[in-house]
């Protein structure tokens, strides 16, 4: 052992690169450079003792520095090259230089060996001890490069094939293993007893205002208010409504988009309860005639904090309070988890990674627009990017993003904010909403002059969003040159996984399903699910929500259509041709995957009928009896037909050469296409129903309606195929 130590020292002195030795510990260096304060460093040192993690990791977790800043600090100030391991191909032989345990001990990963020099990816390349030890183990000189900690851990997973459990063990949470104790609000099981305690506290109504303030500070009222807030968070509710009526006083929660009554409160505690909420939100409790807005911050458990946006509105029977829960934990800022399809996500990512352009997210209130935008912004947030947002209200604070609260009353409108943004040299701008021509115009000009601009509109789908912007006065050519993508979205309730079962009724009405957009051919093969209702979902059959997206990428064709200011349905048609999948079709996909129900699809989306002309939408339907003549050989009429029901025979010179029995099959289109007389006779065998279309429209139909055109051609080809086979048989007969 003693020998080993001696050897270690000599070998270390010989080959450790100079830059690594002379620097002090990472934390101290960051402090000297003004990246963190002395207090932050001390706190990190204390936290580091509790959990076995690297200084950089601790500082990141405490939120005092972000990973990109740390990385650029190491590379810029200390000249360590940044290496992204996931982009490299690692030679398996190189990897074997260190065992997983050895690599893990110092959070390093061997990248390459050349000329007795090992290039070593390190989360903290200032860690001399790690370099020294690795050198000793490998008998190689070490060249340290810096990689993100996550990158190194992912490399362990990929190359050392570590288990999922082992992988997860790297992501320790400081708050769970130490850190500051926080004021904890206990979970409430028996809210009913809190209500009666509170009612006991408030007895007679006298000298209202003074008494309200006093009772609002009384323990039972405080407990009840905490109970109401805690319960909402635990249920995952999005809003709390506290509403006084003439004889009742109730609390309702909005959960997964639907309101339901949670508590009926004794009317006598009305004022005390409202006062308590106002005290918590820093509002004037004596003011009861005008609306007020405030905010409550609540700490829940050790590491969780929840914000409530509070709105107080005087109503006929007292003040009504609505609290919107701004739970950062519930805000899914991970783009990959939002509910995009793989393809949709790829398109969205491509649009938001472009250096400039306008990306619009659209949908009604409560459709999850904010979450999508925040997630996009969050994924682009890095030290080398300046991001400015104008919001009304600012729902969450993101470190590193400059967020501006829009306040119309002082002239800080969306348009005013946007104008000043442009003088602040940002790369990315988020405008909460485009409501007027001025905002729209500045946003579009910003997008055209090298900024990536995000905004929202209250429109129903992608094509109508373009229409709305043109309607508020922006010419089509400007819209088309700025716009890169429109995303329309909805949130649908998700079927509870604990009581999911196949819906026994919904498939009985096939016509209904076809009518709302299901494909006739696949109905038999799919399972349509529902939630039966169970304790986990409060008997509702739904738990949580899932987003559906309609994504319109502004391709060359779409751009042309926008520039030409074509009607909405034509733009939709073009967008669909270019790959857009409508909200309804995306929603139906979620039904087929068993995620949501047909009810939710109907509630949240509409079927946009392709704008078919009348002759295709409502053709005449003819009923034929047995042996009725539909087409007569030699005639020069040109209408074409579609079989809906029954069976037809094709006769040539009175001999049956083929038949038509597939519902949906077209026939009779040859004469219209070629302008020749009918070359065969078609008669009904038994009763049949046939749709008739005007022959002079066949060209137009084939040109404009690809779905129909495809079916017509398929029918034609399958008959040709049939005829060829027949001819072959005839040929053989002749030879015989
Ligand atoms: Zn359930």
């Amino acid at each position: 052992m003693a020998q080993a130590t001696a050897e270690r020292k000599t070998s270390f002195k010989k080959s450790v690169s100079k830059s690594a030795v002379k620097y002090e510990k990472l934390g101290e260096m960051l402090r000297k450079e003004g990246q963190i304060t002395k207090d932050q460093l001390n706190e990190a040192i204390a936290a580091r003792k509790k959990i076995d993690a690297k200084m950089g990791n601790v500082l990141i977790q405490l939120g005092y520095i972000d990973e990109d800043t740390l990385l650029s600090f190491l590379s810029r100030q200390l000249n360590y090259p940044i290496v992204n391991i996931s982009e490299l191909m690692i030679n398996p032989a190189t990897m074997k230089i260190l065992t997983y345990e050895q690599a893990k001990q110092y959070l390093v990963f061997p990248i390459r060996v050349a000329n007795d020099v090992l290039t070593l990816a390190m989360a903290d390349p200032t860690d001399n001890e790690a370099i020294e030890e690795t050198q000793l183990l490998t008998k190689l000189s070490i060249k340290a490069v810096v990689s993100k900690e996550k990158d190194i851990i992912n490399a362990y997973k990929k190359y050392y094939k570590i288990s999922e459990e082992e992988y997860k063990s790297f992501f320790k949470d400081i708050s769970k293993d130490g850190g500051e104790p926080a004021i904890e609000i206990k979970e409430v099981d028996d809210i009913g007893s809190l209500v009666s305690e509170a009612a006991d506290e408030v007895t007679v109504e006298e000298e209202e205002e003074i008494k309200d303030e006093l009772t609002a500070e009384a323990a039972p009222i405080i407990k009840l208010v905490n109970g109401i807030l805690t319960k909402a968070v635990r249920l995952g509710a999005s809003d709390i409504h506290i509403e006084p009526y003439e004889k009742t006083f109730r609390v309702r929660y909005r959960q997964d988009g639907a309101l339901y009554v949670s508590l009926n409160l004794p009317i006598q505690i009305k004022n005390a309860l409202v006062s308590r909420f106002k005290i918590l939100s820093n509002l004037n409790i004596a003011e009861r005639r005008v609306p007020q807005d405030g905010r409550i911050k609540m700490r829940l458990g050790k590491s969780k904090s929840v914000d409530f946006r509070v709105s107080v509105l005087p109503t006929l029977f007292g003040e009504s309070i609505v609290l919107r829960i701004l739970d950062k934990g519930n805000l899914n800022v991970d783009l990959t988890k939002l509910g995009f399809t793989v393809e949709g996500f790829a398109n969205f990512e491509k649009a938001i990674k472009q250096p400039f352009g306008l990306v619009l997210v659209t949908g009604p209130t409560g459709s999850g627009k904010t979450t999508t935008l925040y997630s996009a912004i969050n994924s682009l947030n890095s030290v080398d990017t300046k991001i400015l947002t104008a919001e009304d209200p600012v729902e969450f604070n993101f470190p590193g993003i400059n967020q501006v609260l829009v306040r119309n009353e002082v002239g800080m409108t969306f348009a005013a904010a946007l104008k000043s943004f442009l003088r602040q040299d940002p790369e990315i701008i988020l405008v909460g909403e485009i409501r007027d021509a001025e905002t729209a115009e500045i946003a579009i000009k910003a997008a055209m002059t090298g900024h990536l601009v995000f905004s929202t509109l209250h429109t129903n789908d992608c094509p109508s969003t373009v229409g709305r912007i043109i309607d508020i006065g922006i010419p089509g050519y400007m819209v088309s040159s700025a716009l890169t993508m429109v995303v329309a979205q909805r949130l649908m309730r998700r079927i509870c996984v604990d009581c999911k079962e196949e819906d026994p009724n919904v498939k009985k009405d096939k016509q209904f399903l076809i009518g709302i957009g299901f494909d006739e051919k696949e109905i038999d093969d799919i399972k349509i699910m529902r939630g039966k209702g169970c304790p986990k979902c409060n008997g509702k059959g739904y738990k949580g929500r899932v987003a559906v997206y309609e994504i319109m990428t502004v391709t060359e064709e779409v751009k042309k259509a926008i520039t030409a200011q074509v009607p909405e349905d034509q733009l939709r048609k073009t967008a669909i041709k270019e790959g857009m999948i409508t909200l309804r079709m995306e929603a139906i996909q979620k039904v087929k995957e068993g995620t949501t129900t047909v009810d939710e699809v109907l509630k949240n989306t509409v079927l946009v009928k392709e704008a078919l002309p009348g002759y295709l939408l409502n053709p005449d339907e003819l009923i034929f009896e047995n042996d009725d003549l539909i087409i007569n050989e030699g005639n020069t009429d040109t209408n074409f037909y579609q079989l809906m029901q029954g069976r037809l025979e094709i006769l040539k010179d009175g001999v049956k050469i083929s038949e038509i029995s597939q519902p949906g099959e077209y026939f009779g289109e040859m004469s219209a296409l070629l302008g020749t007389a009918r070359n065969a006779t078609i008669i009904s065998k038994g009763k049949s129903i046939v749709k008739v279309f005007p022959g002079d429209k066949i060209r137009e139909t084939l040109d404009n309606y690809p779905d129909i055109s495809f079916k017509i051609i398929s029918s034609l080809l399958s008959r040709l195929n049939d005829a060829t086979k027949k001819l072959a048989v005839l040929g053989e007969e002749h030879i015989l």
Side-chain angles (χ1 to χ4, degrees):
M1 217 47 215
Q3 242 177 334
T5 317
E7 194 184 312
R8 175 184 306 183
K9 278 194 176 150
T10 48
S11 115
F12 176 56
K13 270 185 191 151
K14 249 187 281 171
S15 51
V16 165
S17 71
K18 271 181 247 156
S19 64
V21 209
K22 72 178 184 198
Y23 287 106
E24 309 162 55
K25 288 274 179 233
L26 181 60
E28 191 57 32
M29 286 191 287
L30 289 167
R31 186 198 63 76
K32 275 190 182 164
E33 284 297 322
Q35 297 282 357
I36 56 170
T37 66
K38 196 162 191 313
D39 288 348
Q40 289 172 338
L41 176 61
N42 288 339
E43 191 184 333
I45 291 170
R48 202 165 103 85
K49 282 179 188 148
K50 288 184 196 150
I51 59 163
D52 183 27
K54 295 271 167 211
M55 176 55 84
N57 177 310
V58 173
L59 286 168
I60 290 167
Q61 280 208 47
L62 288 171
Y64 294 147
I65 197 163
D66 64 75
E67 193 161 26
D68 288 322
T69 310
L70 182 63
L71 228 61
S72 81
F73 172 80
L74 287 166
S75 79
R76 245 198 308 242
Q77 309 269 352
L78 306 177
N79 291 322
Y80 292 107
I82 297 180
V83 170
N84 189 350
I85 310 174
S86 63
E87 287 170 1
L88 302 176
M89 286 288 289
I90 305 294
N91 185 338
T94 308
M95 199 195 95
K96 286 192 187 113
I97 286 175
L98 291 176
T99 65
Y100 166 59
E101 281 70 25
Q102 288 164 344
K104 180 191 173 185
Q105 192 182 352
Y106 295 110
L107 210 63
V108 298
F109 187 81
I111 288 180
R112 182 175 50 241
V113 179
N115 304 325
D116 287 338
V117 176
L118 168 64
T119 306
L120 191 67
M122 304 181 72
D124 178 1
T126 66
D127 186 346
N128 290 341
E129 193 192 338
I131 295 178
E132 188 182 346
E133 288 290 330
T134 313
Q135 192 154 251
L136 191 77
L137 280 166
T138 59
K139 310 260 187 303
L140 294 166
S141 296
I142 306 294
K143 179 180 179 239
V145 298
V146 58
S147 296
K148 286 189 183 184
E149 187 165 329
K150 184 88 191 287
D151 203 19
I152 293 175
I153 296 165
N154 284 339
Y156 291 164
K157 194 176 179 186
K158 185 171 171 192
Y159 295 103
Y160 287 120
K161 311 258 183 274
I162 59 170
S163 68
E164 191 64 26
E165 205 176 315
E166 174 72 14
Y167 177 73
K168 280 189 186 142
S169 72
F170 281 99
F171 305 100
K172 285 177 211 142
D173 188 351
I174 288 185
S175 56
K176 277 185 194 125
D177 298 274
E180 294 294 305
I183 316 131
E184 192 174 351
I185 294 177
K186 271 189 280 171
E187 297 246 324
V188 187
D189 287 327
D190 187 0
I191 206 161
S193 67
L194 290 182
V195 174
S196 33
E197 269 182 58
D200 288 343
E201 184 68 34
V202 186
T203 43
V204 202
E205 287 197 34
E206 47 176 310
E207 285 169 278
E208 273 197 358
E209 268 167 39
I210 304 155
K211 187 161 168 51
D212 289 340
E213 189 165 359
L214 288 175
T215 46
E217 296 289 4
I221 295 286
I222 291 175
K223 271 198 233 163
L224 177 59
V225 166
N226 289 347
I228 290 170
L229 296 175
T230 315
K231 189 179 175 195
V233 174
R234 200 187 45 198
L235 287 172
S238 59
D239 305 82
I240 310 171
H241 297 241
I242 296 158
E243 304 157 319
Y245 297 96
E246 189 177 4
K247 295 196 172 84
T248 56
F249 183 37
R250 71 180 184 188
V251 177
R252 294 197 288 172
Y253 290 122
R254 187 181 293 280
Q255 209 181 344
D256 297 335
L259 268 175
Y260 74 97
V261 178
S262 169
L263 278 176
N264 277 306
L265 298 173
I267 192 101
Q268 72 264 32
I269 68 166
K270 181 173 75 181
N271 289 338
L273 196 81
V274 169
S275 295
R276 178 66 197 160
F277 276 112
K278 283 161 108 179
I279 289 168
L280 284 175
S281 332
N282 282 325
L283 298 177
N284 180 357
I285 67 166
E287 177 56 77
R288 289 179 178 168
R289 291 151 304 169
V290 297
Q292 297 188 65
D293 294 321
R295 218 173 164 102
I296 297 176
K297 195 176 192 74
M298 181 174 86
R299 300 208 69 163
L300 190 72
K302 277 193 171 173
S303 59
K304 198 171 174 183
S305 100
V306 181
D307 284 13
F308 296 86
R309 196 172 78 223
V310 184
S311 152
V312 181
L313 180 73
T315 65
L316 201 51
F317 300 107
E319 286 163 295
S320 169
I321 303 181
V322 175
L323 298 104
R324 152 77 34 116
I325 299 171
L326 309 172
D327 180 357
K328 238 183 205 170
N330 281 353
L331 176 73
N332 203 344
V333 287
D334 182 350
L335 268 179
T336 56
K337 289 180 187 146
L338 286 178
F340 280 107
T341 58
V342 175
E343 210 186 4
F345 179 68
N347 286 333
F348 185 65
E349 211 184 15
K350 206 170 133 198
I352 68 171
K353 293 224 162 122
Q354 283 179 23
F356 56 87
L358 177 64
V359 175
L360 293 173
V361 180
T362 164
T365 308
S367 56
K369 298 190 293 278
T370 313
T371 307
T372 303
L373 279 181
Y374 275 163
S375 306
I377 291 279
N378 195 47
S379 75
L380 298 168
N381 188 7
S382 68
V383 272
D384 54 3
T385 309
K386 181 162 178 108
I387 305 178
L388 283 165
T389 75
E391 299 169 67
D392 176 22
V394 174
E395 292 199 10
F396 297 102
N397 301 107
F398 289 98
I401 296 180
N402 301 275
Q403 293 171 284
V404 173
L405 177 64
V406 166
R407 292 169 65 202
N408 292 323
E409 66 275 16
V410 296
M412 182 50 123
T413 58
F414 279 120
L418 249 180
K419 264 189 227 158
S420 63
F421 280 6
L422 294 177
R423 292 189 287 271
Q424 292 254 326
D425 185 31
E427 266 90 19
I428 299 172
I429 296 171
L430 181 148
V431 197
E433 199 185 330
I434 293 179
R435 292 181 193 152
D436 53 77
E438 196 186 4
T439 312
E441 201 179 327
I442 310 170
I444 280 178
K445 282 192 176 145
M448 288 165 77
T449 51
H451 305 87
L452 181 59
V453 182
F454 291 93
S455 192
T456 73
L457 259 87
H458 277 265
T459 43
N460 287 325
D461 62 6
C462 295
S464 65
T465 305
V466 172
R468 173 70 58 83
I469 299 186
I470 290 173
D471 282 349
I472 57 180
I474 311 295
Y477 68 88
M478 272 180 77
V479 180
S480 71
S481 55
L483 197 62
T484 48
M485 172 170 282
V486 186
V487 177
Q489 71 175 91
R490 295 288 186 281
L491 288 176
M492 297 192 299
R493 287 190 290 171
R494 194 186 274 275
I495 300 174
C496 169
V497 288
D498 289 295
C499 59
K500 193 191 274 193
E501 60 171 25
E502 189 164 359
D503 191 324
N505 303 317
V506 68
K507 269 167 75 172
K508 285 182 188 151
D509 194 348
K510 245 181 155 175
Q511 280 311 314
F512 167 73
L513 290 178
I514 294 165
I516 64 171
F518 279 85
D519 187 343
E520 185 176 359
K521 284 180 290 232
E522 60 185 17
I523 290 178
D524 291 330
D525 302 328
I526 56 172
K527 276 189 178 172
I528 297 182
M529 311 299 280
R530 67 168 184 188
K532 206 170 95 190
C534 74
K536 287 255 171 71
C537 58
N538 293 328
K540 286 186 290 187
Y542 294 102
K543 202 158 188 281
R545 287 192 284 179
V546 60
V548 276
Y549 300 93
E550 172 179 293
I551 298 175
M552 184 173 89
T553 308
V554 182
T555 59
E556 277 310 310
E557 290 305 310
V558 172
K559 197 179 278 248
K560 273 185 219 157
I562 297 173
T563 309
Q565 299 188 200
V566 301
E568 193 179 305
D569 54 353
Q570 209 177 320
L571 175 60
R572 179 176 299 111
K573 220 158 58 189
T574 307
I576 290 172
K577 224 190 257 174
E578 294 288 295
M580 181 178 90
I581 298 166
T582 61
L583 276 169
R584 169 56 65 88
M585 297 323 280
E586 285 280 358
I588 283 178
Q589 186 55 37
K590 294 277 188 266
V591 171
K592 289 193 269 182
E593 290 163 5
T595 312
T596 194
T597 61
V598 171
D599 282 351
E600 282 294 297
V601 171
L602 293 176
K603 214 170 81 186
N604 290 291
T605 65
V606 291
L607 183 67
V608 266
K609 281 245 185 269
E610 214 189 316
L612 290 178
Y615 66 87
L616 287 174
L617 202 58
N618 293 309
D620 289 337
E621 261 186 12
L622 308 175
I623 298 171
F624 294 98
E625 301 298 333
N626 190 32
D627 284 341
D628 276 356
L629 204 59
I630 303 171
I631 288 177
N632 197 6
E633 193 175 343
N635 280 7
T636 52
D637 58 308
T638 59
N639 285 348
F640 64 105
Y641 305 85
Q642 187 183 24
L643 176 67
M644 302 313 294
Q645 199 183 309
R647 189 170 67 87
L648 316 176
E649 277 186 7
I650 306 177
L651 312 171
K652 201 151 174 68
D653 304 326
V655 180
K656 178 186 165 188
I657 54 164
S658 184
E659 63 173 38
I660 298 169
S661 57
Q662 191 67 44
E665 199 170 331
Y666 286 88
F667 60 94
E669 69 292 310
M670 288 272 248
S671 297
L673 279 172
L674 303 174
T676 53
R678 300 291 187 184
N679 66 352
T681 293
I682 295 180
I683 59 168
S684 179
K685 287 321 277 181
K687 191 178 167 176
S688 66
I689 303 174
V690 164
K691 279 183 182 171
V692 56
F693 303 96
D696 57 349
K697 299 283 189 199
I698 191 148
R699 187 59 207 268
E700 193 181 308
T701 308
L702 293 179
D703 278 351
N704 296 322
Y705 309 100
D707 284 352
I708 296 174
S709 153
F710 178 78
K711 280 185 200 152
I712 293 176
I713 291 164
S714 300
S715 301
L716 182 66
L717 289 177
S718 90
R719 280 205 319 279
L720 270 174
N721 196 23
D722 249 19
T724 316
K725 279 184 203 151
K726 287 263 160 58
L727 277 174
V729 173
L730 282 176
E732 277 168 30
E733 279 168 0
H734 278 289
I735 292 161
L736 287 172

